[in-house]
Amino acid sequence: MLRAVALLLLSLTCLSAQQKVDTSHLYHRVLARVPMVGKGTLEDPIRPMFAPLPGDQKSGDRSGIIAYQFQMSDDGQTALVEFVAVNKAALDTVLASKDARVKTFEIGKDSKASIEAEFRSSKRDFSLDTFRPAMVQ
């Protein structure tokens, strides 16, 4: 019995020592160069293509794009975006786009150099080092 209690206490001590995973390494993430869309109204704000409209997702629904962040290109016509989704299938529309203005990259598949080279063609001083991963709630 004493051994069982000691083992339980040891296990609990080890569990509390585990570090949380950095949220920037969670979920599926895609980087993309996309055109800006929208009319600039409350119902249709100007935003990167594929970015969900405010209020589109119901509370607790995590089936689509759950977060995104972007930097505007130098010409103001395109955005350099990171899209985040719980399921990779939610990013299929972005990844399968046939629009010539859309260029996508998958983190872990595409090199940092190729991503930065493409993004620098739209934003001269772009760096992945300063493009922090989108925070997800």
Side-chain angles (χ1 to χ4, degrees), residues 52-115:
L53 287 167
D56 263 3
Q57 243 171 336
K58 295 174 179 65
S59 181
D61 177 16
R62 296 173 68 82
S63 60
I65 292 172
I66 60 170
Y68 71 95
Q69 66 149 333
F70 71 98
Q71 289 183 11
M72 190 71 72
S73 66
D74 291 338
D75 68 4
Q77 302 299 307
T78 58
L80 310 173
V81 189
E82 176 190 31
F83 294 106
V84 184
V86 173
N87 300 308
K88 188 175 180 197
L91 298 169
D92 284 349
T93 304
V94 179
L95 291 167
S97 176
K98 300 293 184 209
D99 190 318
R101 302 170 298 168
V102 175
K103 178 72 176 175
T104 61
F105 300 92
E106 290 187 68
I107 297 172
K109 285 188 178 180
D110 297 293
S111 72
K112 178 181 177 181
S114 65
I115 296 168

Side-chain angles (χ1 to χ4, degrees), residues 2-137:
L2 186 56
R3 245 186 224 178
V5 171
L7 185 58
L8 177 64
L9 290 175
L10 180 63
S11 297
L12 291 175
T13 303
C14 292
L15 286 176
S16 66
Q18 290 183 353
Q19 295 181 1
K20 288 189 174 190
V21 175
D22 182 353
T23 58
S24 68
H25 299 295
L26 296 176
Y27 309 112
H28 297 277
R29 295 169 183 265
V30 169
L31 297 173
R33 186 195 69 223
V34 300
M36 295 297 289
V37 298
K39 297 176 184 167
T41 64
L42 271 171
E43 298 79 29
D44 189 18
I46 296 173
R47 65 199 181 283
M49 180 188 272
F50 307 114
L53 287 167
D56 263 3
Q57 243 171 336
K58 295 174 179 65
S59 181
D61 177 16
R62 296 173 68 82
S63 60
I65 292 172
I66 60 170
Y68 71 95
Q69 66 149 333
F70 71 98
Q71 289 183 11
M72 190 71 72
S73 66
D74 291 338
D75 68 4
Q77 302 299 307
T78 58
L80 310 173
V81 189
E82 176 190 31
F83 294 106
V84 184
V86 173
N87 300 308
K88 188 175 180 197
L91 298 169
D92 284 349
T93 304
V94 179
L95 291 167
S97 176
K98 300 293 184 209
D99 190 318
R101 302 170 298 168
V102 175
K103 178 72 176 175
T104 61
F105 300 92
E106 290 187 68
I107 297 172
K109 285 188 178 180
D110 297 293
S111 72
K112 178 181 177 181
S114 65
I115 296 168
E116 286 183 333
E118 180 64 36
F119 281 15
R120 284 185 184 139
S121 70
S122 298
K123 184 173 177 78
R124 185 181 61 239
D125 62 349
F126 181 85
S127 170
L128 281 173
D129 295 331
T130 58
F131 194 67
R132 301 283 179 227
M135 299 305 292
V136 178
Q137 299 291 335

